Amino acid sequence: MKKIEKKNIGIFFLMLMTFLVVVIPLFMFTGGQKYYDRGVTLDRHWDVTINEKTYTNVTLSKFTFPMTNKGDVVTLSHHMTEHYKGVNPVLRCEFIHTKIEVHMNNTLIYSYGQKDFKEGKMLGYGVHYIEFPNDYLGKTLQITLTVSENSAFNGISSMLLGNEGTLIQESLVQNRFRLAISMSLIVFGILMAGVSMVASIQNRVYVRLFWVALFSLLLGGWTLCNNNLIIYFTQNLKAKAYMEYLTLYAGALPLMLYFYPAVTDKTRKKGFRIFYQILLAAQSLFFVAAFVLQELNLVHLPRQLKICHGLMALELLFIILIVVDDIRCRRKYDRAMQIGMIAILIVILFEVIRYNVQKYFVHFGGNEYTSSVCYGALFIVVALLLDYTGKISRGLYKEAQQQLLENMAYSDELTGLSNRRKCDEVVEKLLDGDADFTLISMDLNLLKYYNDTYGHEKGDALLRSFASVLREAFPEALAIARVGGDEFHVVLPDREQEELREDLTCLLKCLYEKNEQNKELHLSTAVGCVQRSEFLDNVDIRMLYQEADRRMYVHKQKMKKKNPELYRR
């Protein structure tokens, strides 16, 4: 039980250290910084033309228009009267699903997505940093957006004019907590995935830990993209778009797979298993189909977002039903898991509703939507770990109990070898098959002498020493058993006569070396060997044992005649 507790403590220690390793440096390097050069906001006095309709003197943060669709053209014009006093001015702006052309007094200063738009491919989206000429004052800024997807946006975010490095650093300070959570989830997911894959080779219970790790990794990656935190690592907006949709569309899979053992429990109603199988198949098919269609350039990833939301709603409903069924049937469950599931369900449901309301009914600018799912993600990962470690503790404890009972039933307590019951099972199983095998019957000499002369403690030492010799001499044995007080059996796989002689020679060598190491004990044994192939097809276990014992006693009598004083009983 102590080993189990140490493993659980190790998992949480790894997560805590991952969080601290990410958080402490991030807050140390950003916590004390103050930025007085915050740039100039470009929000008021814009002229906006959508297709052929023009809106004059609008404030971007308050301006909402009908939802744009593929092929729509939005033109933004602004007379540059704002004066930025810093050096190397850039315009920070956020656009989604658009080809972009930026002119200053009819001179092109920036463009994005021309080739992909022409080829009908998905465009990246996110934050753009557009370099301005130093003599921009008094000139007219014109931004032309050509929409590449349906239901793209119905508003434009405010823009900021300032120094690129300063703007990025200030954004880092403002988002450092979300960045810390995202990176912690990613780093923890990578580390724990590696550990759980190695551990799963030895014990399949660790597979569920791998699903937790993968869920953590995907949620961390999605949060990094959704909150535009990926810009601190790369400004490749197309890679950002792919990563965001990849992590979002795949995020539910590890969570569903985590519940596989709970759903397939025999006490669970068949309807749950059917519902689960349909959802799992649908989620897997959707994920594969979404990216195949994207790669074939038939249906872009943004077009499939509604399907993803629908599947998420069904999966959340399924998880709720599982939790309710556990409570109703009074199954053993982890309280932290229940609380964590309720928390993440509320957060995800709130975010899905907020996203759609903001996009279709309020004001959805250029990728300005950011999610708070990262906080719920951290909570649910901790809850899953608590649930997992609780289950694995109970499972390993039961497994340890079962192993203990088996050891008590099939092991010899004194020597640690198998007992007669275990040896009988091995031989019976071999007799049910067709393969040949060898049974060696041995009698440990001088045990009664040591017990009577030096006490049972010395006799026990003789038995344990002989057991260690047998383990060393017969590493390929199918069974090594103490079947009586001084009687031992060794079961070997099919052996040629020459191989059997080598095995017995190895036994004599091991006995000699052990006697040289400990002069107080003298190990010797009589041996009788019998092979299954020596009998007809109707051989049984009793016949094997009798013939092996008979040959062993013949050998023992020869040893007594050769040295009657040493082998007195």
Side-chain angles (χ1 to χ4, degrees), residues 3 58 64 73 75 109 125 136 151 154 159 204 284 288 316 326 334 357 376 404 423 430 450 505 551 568:
K3 290 182 179 179
V58 302
T64 302
V73 178
T75 303
I109 62 172
Y125 55 88
Y136 67 86
S151 301
N154 63 354
M159 304 180 201
R204 292 187 60 82
S284 303
V288 173
L316 294 177
D326 285 342
D334 194 289
V357 169
L404 178 62
C423 185
L430 289 169
Y450 275 96
T505 301
R551 297 179 184 183
R568 60 185 181 276

Side-chain angles (χ1 to χ4, degrees), residues 308-528:
C308 177
H309 285 170
L311 283 172
M312 286 172 60
L314 290 174
E315 287 156 355
L316 294 177
L317 173 62
F318 171 76
I319 293 173
I320 291 174
L321 292 175
I322 287 291
V323 173
V324 171
D325 187 58
D326 285 342
I327 296 174
R328 184 179 62 83
C329 297
R330 297 181 179 180
R331 293 187 182 89
K332 290 184 179 181
Y333 61 89
D334 194 289
R335 185 70 64 183
M337 179 62 180
Q338 301 257 338
I339 296 172
M341 277 299 164
I342 293 171
I344 194 64
L345 291 176
I346 292 173
V347 171
I348 292 177
L349 185 61
F350 171 76
E351 290 297 332
V352 170
I353 294 173
R354 184 169 75 91
Y355 172 85
N356 287 281
V357 169
Q358 185 173 330
K359 180 171 182 177
Y360 295 103
F361 300 102
V362 186
H363 177 91
F364 191 76
N367 199 37
E368 66 179 6
Y369 172 81
T370 56
S371 170
S372 300
V373 170
C374 60
Y375 305 114
L378 184 63
F379 196 93
I380 190 59
V381 169
V382 172
L384 286 171
L385 284 172
L386 286 171
D387 174 66
Y388 169 78
T389 52
K391 283 183 170 65
I392 195 173
S393 294
R394 292 190 293 270
L396 291 178
Y397 181 72
K398 289 181 180 178
E399 186 178 323
Q401 283 185 317
Q402 183 67 26
Q403 187 64 43
L404 178 62
L405 291 174
E406 288 183 3
N407 288 339
M408 292 175 63
Y410 293 109
S411 298
D412 176 63
E413 184 177 356
L414 178 62
T415 62
L417 300 177
S418 300
N419 59 15
R420 177 178 285 275
R421 183 182 294 107
K422 181 64 176 178
C423 185
D424 289 351
E425 283 192 7
V426 171
V427 174
E428 291 283 8
K429 187 175 181 180
L430 289 169
L431 288 173
D432 289 339
D434 298 325
D436 195 13
F437 64 92
T438 299
L439 174 67
I440 303 176
S441 178
M442 284 177 279
D443 184 88
L444 177 61
N445 296 319
L446 305 178
L447 177 62
K448 185 175 184 302
Y449 169 75
Y450 275 96
N451 283 334
D452 294 343
T453 307
Y454 304 106
H456 285 277
E457 184 177 345
K458 207 70 171 179
D460 291 346
L462 189 73
L463 288 168
R464 285 191 290 267
S465 182
F466 185 62
S468 67
V469 167
L470 294 181
R471 292 192 189 95
E472 183 180 354
F474 302 103
E476 298 179 4
L478 302 176
I480 302 176
R482 182 188 177 202
V483 296
D486 55 2
E487 297 176 15
F488 295 81
H489 282 172
V490 175
V491 183
L492 297 174
D494 187 12
R495 313 290 279 175
E496 298 291 339
Q497 288 297 322
E498 183 61 31
E499 292 176 314
L500 186 56
R501 279 193 291 270
E502 290 177 0
D503 290 334
L504 296 177
T505 301
C506 181
L507 172 64
L508 293 176
K509 180 182 176 182
C510 291
L511 287 171
Y512 174 80
E513 291 176 351
K514 183 69 72 173
N515 288 332
E516 288 296 310
Q517 293 172 7
N518 188 354
K519 299 292 186 179
E520 294 182 359
L521 297 175
H522 182 79
L523 296 172
S524 68
T525 181
V527 177

